[in-house]
Amino acid sequence: MIRVRPPEEILLGFARALRAAGVPVTADRERTFLLAAATVGLEDQAGVYAAGRATLCGSPSDLERYDLVYAAWFGAERPAAVRRRPSRPPEAMADLGDAESSQEGGDDESLDEVRARASAMEVLRHRDIASLSAIERATLARMFADLRPRPPRRRTHRLAAAAKGRVDARATLREMLRRHGEPGPIKWRRRAERPRRVVLLIDVSGSMSAYADSLLRLGHVWVRSTGHVEVFTLGTRLTHVTAGLQHPDPDRALVAAGRTIPDWSGGTRLAHGLKAFLDRWGRRGMARGAVVVLVSDGWEREDPAGLAVQMRRLHGLAHHVVWANPHRGHDAYEPVQVGIVAALPYVDSFVAGHSMAAFAELMEVVEHA
C-alpha cells in the first residue's frame, strides 16, 4: 500500500532540503512559508512557487539554488505562469517613441513613485510585525540594515585630556616648560568614557513566535554594530546565542543561532531563565553595571513571585533595566499579565517592541540609559 504524505510534510521537506543545500532557512521562515502556501492554495503551483521564493530566500544569491532544489524536489521546473511573466523594460529604453511626453511628465511620475514607495516604507515601519504578510516580512528583514545602534557610555576612573573640565596642572606646567617659561594655554582633563555593556534577553516562547525572527535580527544588528553586546534567548531554558549572531550575513547568523535554541516556540519560564543567567553570568560581571534589555510579553508559566525575586536581583546588579513588550504599542494595552505585574517594580524603562519604529525607539532608550 502506497502511503500518501500530507501536503504540509511535503512542503516542510522542501524547506529542509533548501537548508541542506545552503539556503539559510530558519524555523520561523518555515512557518511563514506554510502559512503563505495555505493562503494562495496548494493547487496553485505558481502561487506556491512564488510563496517559497518570498519567504524562504533571504537574498538574490539564493534564488538560483531555490530553483534547482524546487526542480529536484517537485520534479518540475518553475511554473510556466512565472516564466512567462513579462520583464519590465529598462528605464533608458522605455517610452522612446514619445520623447516630448516623457520629458514633460516623466520627472513628475518618477517623483510620485518615489514618494509612494517612501510612504509605504514608513507605514511598514509602524506596522505590528505579527500582522505582516510573508512578502512584508521579507521587506522588513532588509530594513534592519538601516538601524544604527549606539552603545551607552559610562565614565571611568581614569582622567583624559579634554576641552573643558578640571585644570590639568602637570600638563599645563609641561606646556610652559616647552615654551621656555612663556605662558601657554591651560590644559584640562576629565574622566574618560567607554562603552557600557548591553545584554539582550529575548523571549522565544510560543506566545512570542511571531516576533522571534525579527528580535533575533535586532540582536544581530546590535552585536555587529557596537560590540560589548551579549544576546540570550529565554523559553523553557536559557541559551547564549551571541556567537551565532556574529556572522556578517543576517540570514546565516539566524540559522546559526537557531541551531543552538532547543526551546523555540515552547513554553515560558522567565524566572527560571533569569535565575540561570544571574547565577552563571550575572554575578561574574556580565550584568554588573550593564544595560539589560528583556523582550517579552510577560506570560509566565510558573509562580510570578519567583520572577519578582529574580527581577529584584537583576535590578540590583544592572545599571538600567529595560522591558520591551510587543503589546505595549497597542492603544488598549494594560499591563495585567502576571509576569509584567511582578516585574514592573524593578523595571526602569517599559517600552514597546512590536514594530521597526519601536525598535529604533528602544535603541535610543538604551543609548541614553
Side-chain angles (χ1 to χ4, degrees), residues 306-352:
L307 179 59
V309 171
Q310 303 308 321
M311 287 297 297
R312 183 165 59 248
R313 292 178 61 196
L314 177 64
H315 190 264
L317 288 173
H319 170 72
H320 196 93
V321 178
V322 182
W323 190 303
N325 189 325
H327 305 309
R328 180 78 166 84
H330 302 161
D331 294 335
Y333 171 74
E334 294 290 340
V336 296
Q337 296 90 346
V338 292
I340 291 293
V341 172
L344 273 181
Y346 310 104
V347 172
D348 299 302
S349 298
F350 187 43
V351 299

Side-chain angles (χ1 to χ4, degrees), residues 58-327:
S59 64
S61 60
D62 297 332
L63 299 180
E64 181 179 358
R65 197 170 300 175
Y66 176 88
D67 288 341
L68 294 175
V69 176
Y70 181 91
W73 186 263
F74 293 103
E77 297 181 358
R78 76 170 82 175
V82 178
R83 290 202 307 271
R84 289 197 299 268
R85 184 177 299 164
S87 58
R88 183 178 179 181
E91 294 288 341
M93 300 293 293
D95 299 327
L96 292 180
D98 191 357
E100 293 183 1
S101 62
S102 63
Q103 290 179 356
E104 293 176 359
D107 293 341
D108 292 339
E109 292 178 0
S110 300
L111 183 59
D112 290 342
E113 183 178 358
V114 170
R115 288 175 177 171
R117 289 182 179 178
S119 177
M121 295 294 282
E122 184 62 21
V123 170
L124 186 60
R125 285 186 70 251
H126 291 83
R127 289 273 304 279
D128 192 322
I129 294 172
S131 66
L132 299 183
S133 65
I135 296 178
E136 289 170 334
R137 284 176 179 269
T139 304
L140 188 75
R142 294 192 291 270
M143 294 172 63
F144 278 89
D146 297 330
L147 294 177
R148 294 290 184 270
R150 296 179 181 177
R153 312 288 295 182
R154 69 178 182 88
R155 289 189 175 182
T156 67
H157 294 290
R158 298 182 60 183
L159 298 176
K164 58 181 180 179
R166 64 180 70 173
V167 175
D168 189 345
R170 290 185 178 182
T172 302
L173 181 59
R174 284 196 298 268
E175 180 65 19
M176 292 180 63
L177 292 175
R178 191 179 68 83
R179 294 169 175 263
H180 304 287
E182 294 293 329
I186 297 177
K187 300 295 183 178
W188 308 88
R189 62 180 181 172
R190 64 188 301 178
R191 290 172 63 182
E193 291 185 347
R194 63 178 300 177
R196 187 183 294 276
R197 181 182 290 109
V198 177
V199 179
L200 296 180
L201 302 173
I202 300 174
D203 187 347
V204 294
S205 62
S207 61
M208 289 286 293
S209 60
Y211 302 94
D213 183 88
S214 295
L215 291 173
L216 284 176
R217 289 183 183 275
L218 179 66
H220 174 260
V221 170
W222 232 313
V223 168
R224 293 288 302 168
S225 298
T226 66
H228 299 86
V229 177
E230 299 291 338
V231 183
F232 296 81
T233 61
L234 293 169
T236 57
R237 58 181 295 178
L238 179 77
T239 307
H240 194 190
V241 296
T242 306
L245 294 178
Q246 289 175 347
H247 195 285
D249 183 78
D251 293 317
R252 295 187 180 275
L254 260 65
V255 171
R259 288 172 180 166
T260 64
I261 302 174
D263 53 347
W264 192 292
S265 296
T268 310
R269 300 176 64 193
L270 295 178
H272 175 80
L274 278 177
K275 185 177 186 304
F277 168 71
L278 292 170
D279 290 345
R280 183 171 181 181
W281 286 281
R283 287 192 173 276
R284 295 183 180 180
M286 185 178 289
R288 195 178 301 277
V291 177
V292 179
V293 182
L294 202 155
V295 189
S296 174
D297 55 5
W299 289 107
E300 174 61 277
R301 192 174 70 178
E302 299 180 343
D303 184 7
L307 179 59
V309 171
Q310 303 308 321
M311 287 297 297
R312 183 165 59 248
R313 292 178 61 196
L314 177 64
H315 190 264
L317 288 173
H319 170 72
H320 196 93
V321 178
V322 182
W323 190 303
N325 189 325
H327 305 309

